[in-house]
Every structure is written in C-alpha cells, then in structure tokens.
Amino acid sequence: MKTAKTTSLDIAAIAGVSQSTVSRALRNSPEVSAETRRHIQRIAKEMHYTVDRNASRLRAQTTNTLALLFCEDEVETHINPFFLSILSSAAHTAASRGYDLLVTFQQLSENWVEDFQDAHRADGLILLGIRDRASYDAQLIELVESGTRFVIWGLEHQVPGVSSYVTCQNQESAKALTAHLIDLGHSSFAFIGRTSTANPEFRHRYEGYLEALADRRIHTDADLHIPANSSEAEGYEAVESLLSTGRPVDAIVCASDLIAVGAIAALNDHGLAVPENIAVVGYDDLPIAQYMRPALTTVRQDTELAGRRLVEQLIDLIAGEDVEPDELPVNLMIRRSCGAGA
Amino acid sequence: MKTAKTTSLDIAAIAGVSQSTVSRALRNSPEVSAETRRHIQRIAKEMHYTVDRNASRLRAQTTNTLALLFCEDEVETHINPFFLSILSSAAHTAASRGYDLLVTFQQLSENWVEDFQDAHRADGLILLGIRDRASYDAQLIELVESGTRFVIWGLEHQVPGVSSYVTCQNQESAKALTAHLIDLGHSSFAFIGRTSTANPEFRHRYEGYLEALADRRIHTDADLHIPANSSEAEGYEAVESLLSTGRPVDAIVCASDLIAVGAIAALNDHGLAVPENIAVVGYDDLPIAQYMRPALTTVRQDTELAGRRLVEQLIDLIAGEDVEPDELPVNLMIRRSCGAGA
DNA sequence: CTGAAAGCGCTTACAG
DNA sequence: CTGAAAGCGCTTACAG
C-alpha cells in the first residue's frame, strides 16, 4: 500500500538532472529551459509525483492557504444557506488561484491570530457571518495589529493594506423595494429585523426602508419595527408580537428571506393571506423564494460574485497590493408576495 | 508589522531548556515533567507562540488535515442546504480532534489521489454529494489502490481499513412514510426522484416506497415514477409531466425536500391544493419544511451526527483502525402536507 | 541555464 | 526526565 514516498530527488535521478532543476521545472520557473522543463514534467506525471506541500510551504515560508471563518455569534440552530453559495464560489476561486481553503466554524472566544497566522495555517482570513460588530471589535483590532490580512463579508471595515470587505447595496435596494410597495398602494408598514449598531447589513436595509417612507411622507413608528435575527423562528415570533399589538399593517418588509419565511407562516397561521391581506418582502433571494407560493419578492445578491471578490481581494492583500472594497449591485426580484408581479 | 518569527528556539532560550523539551512540552508529552511543561506552556502563551504547522507536519510526515470534497456531478445551480449542516458538524468535529478541514468543490475530472494524498495536503477524504456511483467508480478504485483513506456520505462503499460510509435508513423510513400515507387513506401514488443504479439513496427510498405499496396490495406502475434530480426545478417539472399524463394521483412521495418544494409549487400553480387534493411528502427535513404552509411531512436525518461520524470514521481509518459503517436512524416528521398531523 | 549547498522549524530516535 | 543531533522535502541564494 504505502510505498516509499517519491521525492524530487527520485525525479531528478530519473531525469538525469539535479534536484534543484526539478524543483524549478515543476514550478514553471523561466530559469529552466523549455525542453528540460517538459522532460521533467513528463516524468513527474508518469511517476505520479506531486510536490510535498508541507516541505514547500515550510521552505518558502508561505501557506498558500486561505481560512474561511464562519462566525457563530450566538447559539444558532442553522446557518443561512446563503453562505453555502458564497462558500462554493470562494472555494472555486481559491482553487483556481492555487490556494487551499480551510473552513472553520468559530466561536468568539478563539484566538484567530494565534490559530491561523502564528501557526502558519493560513495566509489570510475570510470572515463570514459577523453580525454583531461590537463583540468582534477586539478580535479585529488584534488581527490588524498582528498584520493578519483579512476580508469581511457584510461589515464595512477597512484598514488599507490589511483588511477590506465586500458588501452589497443594502440601503439603496431596501429603499427601492419599499418604494415599490408604496407604488403598489401599501401604506401601513412594519419592518422585521434587528438593527442594533451591531448589525450593519440589517441596519442599512432599515435605513433604506425609512428613507423610502420619508420620501413619500408615510408615517411609521417604533412599534412597527420588530427586532429579529435571521431565522424563520424569529420571523414567526416577530409577526405574532406584531399582530398582538393590534396595529393595522398592510406590508411587512423583512430584513432577510429566512425572516420572511417565518413571517409568512405566522400570518398564515393567523388566517391572514399573503399578499391579499398583507404584503411581505424579504432579502437574499434564497432558492426557496421563487418556489414558495406565493413566491417571495426579495432582493437578489450575487453570491457567486461575492465569494469570488472576497477571495480575490484577500489574495491581493496578501500580495501587498491595495484593494478597493466592493459594494456589489443587487437585483429586485418582484414576485407575488408583494401583491404584484408574476 | 511582521517581526522576526518566534520559534521554539526562542521559547527554549527564555525557558532555559532545550528546544527538544519545548517541543515535547507543547505537545503534552508525558516524558516532560509537569512543572517544566507548565513553565514552558506559560511562556509560549505569553509570547503568543504557536507551533509552525508546516514544519511539524513535514517532520512528522502527517498533515493533520482532512479534505472534504463536494462532488459536483452535473451542472448544479445550487447545492442542497442539507450539506451545509453536515459540513458544519464535520468542521466542528474535525477541529475538536485537532484536524484542519480543507473544503473543495470537485469536478469529476480531477485527480484526487495526486491532489490530496500525494501532495500531502490531507490524510484522508470525505466525499459528499456523490450521486452517480458509476461515474465515480474509476476514482474510487484509484483511491483504494493508492491506499488513500476515505469515507462517503450516502453511498455504500467499504474496503476494510481503507474506506467506509455513513448513510441513513433510507429504505425503512421511506417504507414507513408511505405506509403512513396509506393509513391516511391515500391509494393512488406517484414517486418523484431519479433512481438509476447510480443514485443509491433515492433508489433505497424508492424501494421502501414500493415495499409499502406491495404490502398493502396497492398497484403502481412505471408511469407513476417520474425521475428527477434533487432540485426544486426538477420537482416542478416532474409534477407538470405527471399531470400531463392525466393519471389520477392522490399522494406524491418525493425523494427529497427540494423536489417536494418544487412539486408543491407546481401543484399550486395548477390549482391543486396540498393536502386537500393531493398529499405530498419529502425527505431531509430542511429548515424550510416546518415553515412551509402546509408544513411538509418529511424524514429527518441527523445531520449533526452524520457529519460527526464521517469525521470520526475517517480519523479511525487514518489511525489504522477498523471501522464499521454507520446507518443512522431517522425520524418521521409528520406535518400537514400529508393530510394529517399538526 | 544548471548544480551544490544551506536552511525553513519542527519531531524523534538516541544517549545520558 | 532532558539535551544534542539528524533529517523531513523542499526553495533559493550563490557560484559557475
């Protein structure tokens, strides 16, 4: 089964060159003649030889690895499937750029700098799922101080040369979505989603929502903003608490699709039809959104692009280049749940 | 920013011991006295020293890394969110056992043995999402021949000491679910899901379904088995093609929740109410299942346990131990979509 | 363009 | 229980 390991020395012996030349040829060094390179690469292929990553990384003092950290802020029963899509895109991009992608699910308590940078496990970090900015401040500061390169999804945090971020046009899109609801004739609005200073994406969406209302002189007040984290369960509860206030509402803007799914279930269970009695819109365009009945009006984020940009930015940071944060464009997906559309 | 790297020699100098002793102390070797160990570990902590993974891996000829391969059989628009849950559990288990988890999305064409085993990138592989067994045969044989350790989700493939698998009681549970539908008075059944020899999970579910029907002398025929891969889109199409046959049906068993979601959307769009006109059941218990209206009757697989067992089995295989494949128990989640339940 | 040699930072026999 | 030394398999100055 396990035969003695094939090393670059073996290849060198067979090819009749030195081990250094083998090393160069396999890394496509221009120092090596084209003919020699082809010869060596052919032999390596025949022998199923592959460079030992540990040795090359140790010697070159690099890792060629990116770490993707899912940050689990709170007890979370399940993760937004939205992230799986980003992960897939990030993994593809990393692979095509020659990087390995280490995936971990992190608790706040862990020491990222020691675990990844100091241990030479990764050249940089991709942070997903940070919702509560405040609780991560200490971590982020430590990352910056240690010179660890990192990029964040959804949280605007940039230190030139060290960190960057990718987010989407949360505010503009939420404003446009709300304006669309107003155009459809809705006039009593509620918003579901926690928007503490800690949760930047939801906050931006809420601000866009408020802007749209203000533009049209539509009144709303604090009672009609129900906090909720991104889960069906909290969306469900939020609607129950909204209904218990007895306030009349004809449109609910949810900060995420998961919240919208829970909200619609609760409305159903209380005998309220969507969109006939109450319009509901979400955010994310999860796959389920177009297959729910009524289909969910929502905002589509380009997860493929998001994952790719996160990796590309990080690789650029690692290379010492300056990077510009990305604010990705989004698409309104108008469906039946808002009371119009297909 | 980047200061000279702290090594075990630095720690040794400060602690007043040899570098070997530092190495031993940090790996909790029993050879080192408790006092010395504490002393060294305290200094390492103060200095934010962490063992360089590349060096230790090269020296110890190990990787302490597991690779998780999402196999993308076909053009797949999105991955079953079910896998995200397994991934999360696998990542947690790997971390707690001291292993890194490398995540990649693989095309069939890639050479797994060279990429992971030969390159010393991982000690073993976890294979997720293999649906079409036939097309992977060559890959699996090569893995076995090279002595690469691997475990598979959902496909029964075991070579003692080399590979193992984790699956769930597909057949029994599908049989029980179908029997439940029969008990509720349904008598005209259809099954949606591709069950070529290539797709073992769906095939087992189909066999359980057929068994339940046979037990009760309920007739079905080939027209009432519509192939579909696990996606909402194919579930939707399958129902349209089923309806176009004009065959009367009062219950549809779907091979996955994603299929069921698409199937229910199609039924809705054709003016058929679930469960009043047609009962529908799925498989997987995705988070959405309990928040759809009607809520979806389905089979719950323990993804937390699945992810954990995959990693544990693989670590045991790597350690040279024999492992027994797991067939995990499942739970029927009876909800409204089958015409009974809450 | 190629080779001989040093050395990345550890782990692990070996000796005491 | 501790230390001196070898060596894992590469990359990369340095020399030619």
Side-chain angles (χ1 to χ4, degrees):
Chain A
M1 216 136 80
K2 277 221 168 135
T3 56
K5 189 182 157 97
T6 305
T7 72
S8 54
L9 273 168
D10 300 320
I11 305 300
I14 295 170
V17 297
S18 73
Q19 184 266 334
S20 341
T21 301
V22 170
S23 175
R24 290 190 188 100
L26 293 178
R27 291 181 306 110
N28 289 314
S29 161
E31 289 183 84
V32 124
S33 76
E35 192 191 356
T36 310
R37 178 165 55 221
R38 270 195 299 274
H39 179 217
I40 292 172
Q41 290 185 345
R42 190 173 49 71
I43 291 175
K45 183 147 213 162
E46 283 172 15
M47 304 280 299
H48 296 282
Y49 168 76
T50 317
V51 172
D52 185 301
R53 301 281 181 140
N54 296 131
S56 76
R57 287 169 178 172
L58 170 61
R59 180 51 237 254
Q61 290 293 80
T62 178
T63 72
N64 257 280
T65 300
L66 309 178
L68 189 147
L69 279 59
F70 280 100
C71 304
E72 300 180 309
D73 282 38
E74 307 161 33
V75 195
E76 201 150 345
T77 49
H78 62 271
I79 294 168
N80 195 328
F82 180 78
F83 288 133
L84 183 55
S85 177
I86 292 186
L87 165 64
S88 161
S89 163
H92 279 112
T93 308
S96 77
R97 302 284 298 261
Y99 280 83
D100 280 351
L101 188 70
L102 222 53
V103 172
T104 66
F105 288 72
Q106 291 290 315
Q107 305 301 323
L108 192 46
S109 59
E110 275 135 16
N111 187 325
W112 300 343
V113 173
E114 278 187 16
D115 286 354
F116 295 96
Q117 178 87 346
D118 295 350
H120 268 223
R121 282 210 289 174
D123 295 327
L125 311 182
I126 298 170
L127 273 31
L128 287 190
I130 291 193
R131 290 198 307 226
D132 185 345
R133 172 170 185 154
S135 58
Y136 281 94
D137 257 5
Q139 288 273 23
L140 298 185
I141 289 169
E142 208 191 336
L143 287 177
V144 170
E145 285 179 350
S146 68
T148 306
R149 308 296 195 250
F150 63 101
V151 294
I152 309 182
W153 164 258
L155 173 74
E156 297 176 14
H157 180 286
Q158 190 187 29
V159 176
V162 176
S163 77
S164 182
Y165 62 88
V166 178
T167 184
C168 79
Q169 296 170 344
N170 288 298
Q171 188 161 339
E172 299 84 332
S173 54
K175 182 175 176 181
L177 190 59
T178 308
H180 180 76
L181 285 168
I182 297 171
D183 288 341
L184 290 174
H186 300 293
S187 58
S188 308
F189 285 77
F191 183 93
I192 302 179
R194 187 179 305 285
T195 61
S196 60
T197 54
N199 196 322
E201 292 177 278
F202 281 14
R203 167 157 284 267
H204 288 151
R205 291 170 196 171
Y206 183 56
E207 282 165 3
Y209 159 86
L210 289 180
E211 272 181 33
L213 295 185
D215 279 1
R216 305 297 192 87
R217 307 278 185 277
I218 292 180
H219 177 75
T220 188
D221 65 36
D223 283 6
L224 295 170
H225 172 200
I226 323 285
N229 290 317
S230 190
S231 75
E232 295 98 337
E234 296 202 24
Y236 193 99
E237 285 166 26
V239 161
E240 297 217 301
S241 104
L242 174 64
L243 294 178
S244 72
T245 66
R247 302 279 305 245
V249 162
D250 62 13
I252 300 178
V253 175
C254 299
S256 77
D257 281 358
L258 291 181
I259 290 175
V261 165
I264 289 173
L267 291 170
N268 255 276
D269 292 352
H270 284 83
L272 293 165
V274 176
E276 292 75 10
N277 301 125
I278 299 188
V280 175
V281 300
Y283 205 102
D284 284 344
D285 197 27
L286 299 185
I288 189 67
Q290 64 175 299
Y291 285 100
M292 298 169 56
R293 290 298 176 266
L296 182 64
T297 291
T298 186
V299 178
R300 179 168 184 68
Q301 305 192 61
D302 189 340
T303 51
E304 194 283 326
L305 184 55
R308 180 151 55 82
R309 287 302 302 147
L310 284 166
V311 168
E312 288 174 347
Q313 282 197 14
L314 183 54
I315 290 176
D316 286 349
L317 282 172
I318 291 167
E321 290 167 29
D322 277 345
V323 310
E324 284 297 311
D326 287 294
E327 190 182 65
L328 306 181
V330 295
N331 286 308
L332 260 49
M333 307 302 287
I334 305 299
R335 302 197 180 103
R336 273 244 316 139
S337 74
C338 62
Chain B
M1 216 136 79
K2 280 226 167 127
T3 56
K5 188 181 158 99
T6 306
T7 72
S8 55
L9 272 168
D10 301 320
I11 305 300
I14 296 169
V17 296
S18 74
Q19 183 266 333
S20 342
T21 300
V22 170
S23 175
R24 291 190 187 100
L26 294 178
R27 291 181 305 112
N28 290 313
S29 160
E31 290 183 81
V32 124
S33 77
E35 193 189 356
T36 310
R37 179 166 54 221
R38 270 194 299 275
H39 180 218
I40 292 172
Q41 290 186 343
R42 189 173 49 71
I43 291 175
K45 181 146 213 163
E46 282 172 16
M47 302 282 296
H48 296 282
Y49 168 76
T50 317
V51 172
D52 184 301
R53 301 281 181 138
N54 295 132
S56 76
R57 287 169 178 173
L58 171 60
R59 181 51 236 254
Q61 290 292 79
T62 178
T63 72
N64 258 278
T65 300
L66 308 178
L68 188 148
L69 280 59
F70 280 101
C71 304
E72 301 180 309
D73 281 38
E74 307 161 33
V75 195
E76 201 148 348
T77 50
H78 62 271
I79 295 168
N80 194 328
F82 179 78
F83 289 133
L84 183 56
S85 178
I86 292 186
L87 165 64
S88 161
S89 164
H92 279 111
T93 308
S96 77
R97 301 284 297 262
Y99 279 83
D100 280 350
L101 188 71
L102 222 54
V103 173
T104 66
F105 289 72
Q106 292 290 315
Q107 306 302 322
L108 191 47
S109 60
E110 274 134 18
N111 186 326
W112 299 344
V113 173
E114 277 187 18
D115 287 354
F116 294 96
Q117 177 87 346
D118 295 349
H120 268 223
R121 282 211 289 176
D123 295 326
L125 311 182
I126 299 171
L127 273 30
L128 287 191
I130 291 193
R131 290 196 308 226
D132 186 344
R133 172 170 188 159
S135 59
Y136 281 95
D137 257 5
Q139 287 274 21
L140 299 185
I141 288 169
E142 208 191 339
L143 287 177
V144 169
E145 284 180 350
S146 69
T148 306
R149 307 299 196 248
F150 64 100
V151 295
I152 309 182
W153 165 257
L155 173 72
E156 296 175 15
H157 179 286
Q158 190 186 29
V159 176
V162 176
S163 76
S164 181
Y165 62 89
V166 178
T167 186
C168 79
Q169 296 170 343
N170 288 298
Q171 187 161 342
E172 299 85 330
S173 54
K175 181 176 177 181
L177 191 58
T178 307
H180 181 75
L181 285 168
I182 297 172
D183 288 342
L184 291 174
H186 301 293
S187 57
S188 309
F189 285 79
F191 184 94
I192 302 179
R194 186 179 305 284
T195 61
S196 61
T197 55
N199 196 323
E201 292 176 279
F202 282 14
R203 167 155 284 266
H204 288 152
R205 291 171 197 170
Y206 183 57
E207 282 164 3
Y209 159 85
L210 290 180
E211 271 181 33
L213 295 185
D215 279 0
R216 305 298 193 88
R217 307 276 185 277
I218 293 180
H219 178 74
T220 189
D221 65 37
D223 283 6
L224 296 169
H225 172 199
I226 324 285
N229 290 316
S230 192
S231 76
E232 295 98 336
E234 298 204 21
Y236 192 99
E237 284 166 28
V239 160
E240 297 216 302
S241 105
L242 175 63
L243 294 178
S244 72
T245 66
R247 302 278 307 243
V249 163
D250 62 13
I252 300 177
V253 175
C254 299
S256 79
D257 281 359
L258 291 181
I259 290 174
V261 165
I264 290 172
L267 291 171
N268 255 277
D269 293 353
H270 284 84
L272 293 166
V274 175
E276 292 76 9
N277 301 124
I278 299 190
V280 175
V281 299
Y283 206 103
D284 285 343
D285 197 26
L286 299 185
I288 189 68
Q290 65 176 298
Y291 284 101
M292 297 166 60
R293 290 297 176 268
L296 182 64
T297 291
T298 186
V299 178
R300 180 169 184 68
Q301 306 193 61
D302 189 340
T303 51
E304 194 284 325
L305 183 55
R308 182 151 54 80
R309 287 302 301 148
L310 284 166
V311 169
E312 289 175 346
Q313 282 195 13
L314 184 53
I315 291 177
D316 286 348
L317 282 173
I318 291 167
E321 290 168 30
D322 276 345
V323 309
E324 284 297 310
D326 286 296
E327 190 182 63
L328 306 181
V330 295
N331 285 309
L332 259 48
M333 308 301 287
I334 304 299
R335 301 197 180 105
R336 273 249 310 144
S337 75
C338 61

